[in-house]
Amino acid sequence: MTAPAGLGLWAGRPAEGVMVAMGALSAVLTDVAAAYRHRAITMLLPQLLGVVGAFAALTAAGRAGEPYLLPALGVAAGVLARLGPEGSLGAMVLLMDAAVARDLPLPGPLWLPPALMLLGGLSVVVLALAGRPFFRGRAERALLARCLAGCAAVLEPDAAGPAGTARRRALHDALEQARHTGAVGGSALLARHLPGLLALAETASSAGARGLAAGPALRGRLRAEAERVAAGRPASDGAWPPACGPLEARLLRAARSAVTPGPGPVGSAGGWAGQHRPGRRRAAARAVLADPQSWLCGLRVGLALLLAGAAAAYWELPHPYWAVLNVVFVCRPDVGPVTGRALERFCGTALGLLCSGLVLACAGPDGALLAVLALAAGLVPALSGTGYLYQAAALATVVLMVTQLAGDPGLPLLLPNLACCAIGCLAAVLACELLGPHRHRQLAVARRLADAVEQTALALAPPHPRDGAAPHLQLASARAEFERARREPPWRQGATARWAALIDEVERTVDTALAPAVPADHHHFDATRHHLHRLAADLHRLAARP
């Protein structure tokens, strides 16, 4: 960000430099993937959507429909965000670039501001992908190593206690991350190893839930294989430890298929590759577009943008796009509860404005401001894992420094910036409360749990192949939905405890049903399937309750 802003100052055209810097900022905010194939998708597609948003905002400038453009884009962005993390990033950049291009108009043709922002974004994309020839496959190997080490951890002797439950959940979360990375990024390494790895995780997780520990030799071999995979070393030719029973024999077969996969589908999760064909992905996208909850999410974002823009215009605040940007950063359905995120956004902005005010009060030459901009811009990605409050503080500093470098004195804008932040956060919370997102997340948790139970019942049917990985991944998704929703204001302590107990009950039921020590008795299978079907029916009734 500092290079284009400095070049713009040096050439006497600071506005053009600021536009390139803002495009670079949008690309930095989308650099969240570790694998290079996945990173190319999460960074490049949002930049193209940002060009569309900026061009639409400039085209509508001065026309009768200009006040309604951002709310309309907000509805489309809310639906797009329901497609997953990649869609959420694209929706954020779409609205962000539209707001920036609308507030910072440049003389010249309409294509100039979008082109400058695209130039800044593509420069960051190129820098982010520059290390691929040197670090190809490292992120995928690290994910596989986490999964192998997690399988060894859930086979410890204390796996039936609370520590084992936490380790099983960590294993399922790592598997879900690896599955999503392989499906979206198209990694050949993950595609080869994941089917066998999912089969190993199914067996290890179910055995650990029943307190069936593996021998130390097998656990040590799994950890050694995890270190080998992470380091990128070739497969070892050493013999695996001998099996000491039917459980270890099954674990050994799954471990061999996970570490040295064959050319075709391996293990009980061999259908994994077919679940992510382009046709399946298109069907999933059509299902999201046909879901009324997706359009309700879009209406939430559009209403929040309309409220924030109207309030900023009513009080005639300078740079009203600041209020819109706060809505854009807060209303993201995949990153956490809106209320908590809005509070962190406001507190972080206040902290960033306090630091920025001290810098501007002692402002020297533009070179000093460029140095502060470089520091704050570097802290935006560096602080992403420490909490949103600190990242919001760095973002507020970046925006104020860029405004000062563009020629608009930043010191008188401290209070208007804080007011815009309060307006955007309040608009986001109000829109979300009016349309009740907490209820829909509650229904999403119930639907995920019902799907996990139904897939477990299907896995127990004798004519069908045994696929126990899908229920565990559904449980991981249900826990993620629950963690995103539990801090919303309507979720009180009693409701949180009841839903946590329900998730624990479903996890125990699934683990027990898929345990490898279940006797091969048809009467036992029928009774278990009957119990699972009743539990799924109860969950569906809970999800359909008005």
Side-chain angles (χ1 to χ4, degrees):
M1 289 191 65
T2 311
L7 288 174
L9 284 174
W10 176 74
R13 308 185 71 172
E16 284 82 349
V18 165
M19 295 297 286
V20 178
M22 293 303 290
L25 175 62
S26 66
V28 168
L29 293 175
T30 60
D31 189 8
V32 296
Y36 282 99
R37 288 173 181 260
H38 194 191
R39 183 181 293 179
I41 295 172
T42 58
M43 296 184 71
L44 187 57
L45 292 181
Q47 301 313 307
L48 302 178
L49 287 173
V51 171
V52 174
F55 190 77
L58 292 172
T59 304
R63 300 188 178 182
E66 181 182 5
Y68 309 105
L69 173 68
L70 277 178
L73 288 178
V75 173
V79 177
L80 182 63
R82 294 271 296 181
L83 294 175
E86 296 78 21
S88 178
L89 291 173
M92 179 186 69
V93 175
L94 170 69
L95 295 175
M96 178 181 171
D97 287 4
V100 170
R102 185 184 179 191
D103 190 77
L104 299 174
L106 290 178
L110 288 179
W111 57 264
L112 181 59
L116 292 175
M117 298 179 77
L118 182 62
L119 175 63
L122 290 181
S123 65
V124 176
V125 173
V126 171
L127 289 174
L129 299 179
R132 184 179 180 185
F134 307 100
F135 303 104
R136 184 191 298 248
R138 174 176 291 187
E140 291 90 339
R141 293 198 304 269
L143 274 176
L144 290 175
R146 277 179 55 197
C147 295
L148 285 172
C151 290
V154 300
L155 291 171
E156 294 287 346
D158 62 340
T165 301
R167 289 196 291 266
R168 284 193 299 277
R169 291 181 174 180
L171 170 61
H172 300 155
D173 293 341
L175 284 171
E176 173 61 20
Q177 183 181 358
R179 183 203 61 79
H180 181 75
T181 301
V184 176
S187 170
L189 179 67
L190 289 176
R192 289 197 307 269
H193 285 270
L194 262 179
L197 190 59
L198 290 174
L200 173 62
E202 170 213 342
T203 307
S205 179
S206 300
R210 294 186 56 141
L212 304 175
L218 179 57
R219 296 197 304 269
R221 179 62 185 269
L222 285 175
R223 291 192 173 93
E225 291 294 334
E227 295 176 358
R228 179 193 63 77
V229 170
R233 296 193 299 268
S236 174
D237 296 331
W240 287 76
C244 301
L247 172 62
E248 288 206 3
R250 184 176 177 183
L251 285 170
L252 282 172
R253 288 195 300 270
R256 290 194 195 97
S257 65
V259 173
T260 55
V266 182
S268 64
W272 172 83
Q275 296 173 3
H276 301 283
R277 293 193 299 264
R280 295 287 183 93
R281 290 196 292 267
R282 286 193 293 269
R286 286 194 296 269
V288 169
L289 293 176
D291 188 1
Q293 305 302 332
S294 300
W295 294 100
L296 187 60
C297 179
L299 289 175
R300 286 168 49 202
V301 179
L303 179 60
L305 291 172
L306 184 62
L307 291 175
Y314 177 78
W315 279 295
E316 297 182 351
L317 294 173
H319 298 292
Y321 84 102
W322 284 341
V324 173
L325 285 183
N326 283 280
V327 173
V328 171
F329 291 135
V330 170
C331 284
R332 289 184 59 194
D334 65 315
V335 292
V338 172
T339 305
R341 192 169 173 84
L343 182 61
E344 288 183 335
R345 175 76 186 176
F346 180 77
C347 294
T349 301
L351 177 62
L353 292 179
L354 177 62
C355 299
S356 301
L358 294 176
V359 171
L360 293 175
C362 308
D366 291 336
L369 296 179
L370 285 173
V372 175
L373 174 61
L375 176 62
L379 288 176
V380 169
L383 296 176
S384 59
T386 61
Y388 186 60
L389 187 148
Y390 302 107
Q391 191 182 34
L395 281 169
T397 305
V398 166
V399 169
L400 210 60
M401 291 299 107
V402 165
T403 305
Q404 176 77 19
L405 291 171
D408 196 355
L411 202 55
L413 297 176
L414 292 177
L415 290 180
N417 194 334
L418 190 61
C420 285
C421 179
I423 288 173
C425 293
L426 287 174
V429 173
L430 181 60
C432 293
E433 287 301 316
L434 286 177
L435 299 179
H438 59 279
R439 179 61 188 158
H440 306 305
R441 281 182 176 155
Q442 177 177 329
L443 300 183
V445 175
R447 283 195 296 267
R448 294 282 190 182
L449 294 177
D451 291 342
V453 173
E454 287 181 342
Q455 290 175 4
T456 305
L458 181 63
L460 291 178
H464 295 277
R466 186 180 176 89
D467 185 1
H472 288 134
L473 295 180
Q474 290 287 353
L475 288 173
S477 300
R479 285 196 306 272
E481 291 280 356
F482 175 68
E483 289 300 322
R484 284 196 291 266
R486 69 183 180 88
R487 293 194 301 271
E488 294 285 359
W491 283 76
R492 299 294 181 247
Q493 189 65 32
T496 301
R498 287 194 300 272
W499 278 92
L502 180 60
I503 293 175
D504 289 340
E505 177 191 354
V506 174
E507 284 182 330
R508 286 193 301 270
T509 302
V510 170
D511 282 335
T512 304
L514 295 177
V518 172
D521 183 8
H522 289 295
H523 295 291
H524 176 84
F525 280 133
D526 292 338
T528 304
R529 286 203 306 274
H530 180 66
H531 173 69
L532 291 172
H533 284 309
R534 288 183 58 187
L535 181 57
D538 293 340
L539 288 167
H540 279 304
R541 281 196 297 270
L542 182 63
R545 185 181 301 169

